[in-house]
Amino acid sequence: MLESYVLKIILALFIPGLLVVLLTRITYHHVVGLVLTVALIAASVYAGYTHTWLLYTVDALSLTAGFYFAGRMRSQKGRK
């Protein structure tokens, strides 16, 4: 039981941020990537895959980091 909770936290650290960056690359707009990722997380919460406030917080931190890196990636691409 504890192993699966630790795995959920580790995945919550990386997957949402990577999804924001990936969807930003696909849609060419970092806000659209963020909105689509939040919609996916909301669907998983509604389906019952996320249970605790700690996971919500880790998801939010990862989303924030992904949004930051997607914005930086987008601005650096515009400079070249």
Side-chain angles (χ1 to χ4, degrees):
M1 181 77 174
L2 183 61
E3 295 86 17
S4 67
Y5 188 70
V6 172
L7 180 64
K8 283 183 181 183
I9 290 175
I10 291 171
L11 290 175
L13 279 171
F14 297 106
I15 298 299
L18 291 175
L19 270 175
V20 172
V21 172
L22 175 70
L23 292 173
T24 298
R25 295 287 294 175
I26 292 171
T27 62
Y28 298 106
H29 201 280
H30 62 288
V31 175
V32 175
L34 178 69
V35 169
L36 289 173
T37 305
V38 168
L40 286 171
I41 290 174
S44 75
V45 168
Y46 183 74
Y49 294 114
T50 305
H51 307 299
T52 64
W53 283 102
L54 178 63
L55 286 174
Y56 299 148
T57 306
V58 173
D59 279 339
L61 289 172
S62 181
L63 284 171
T64 304
F67 186 71
Y68 171 74
F69 285 120
R72 277 186 51 125
M73 176 184 67
R74 196 168 156 260
S75 68
Q76 286 178 356
K77 185 177 178 185
R79 285 190 220 165
K80 291 181 180 180

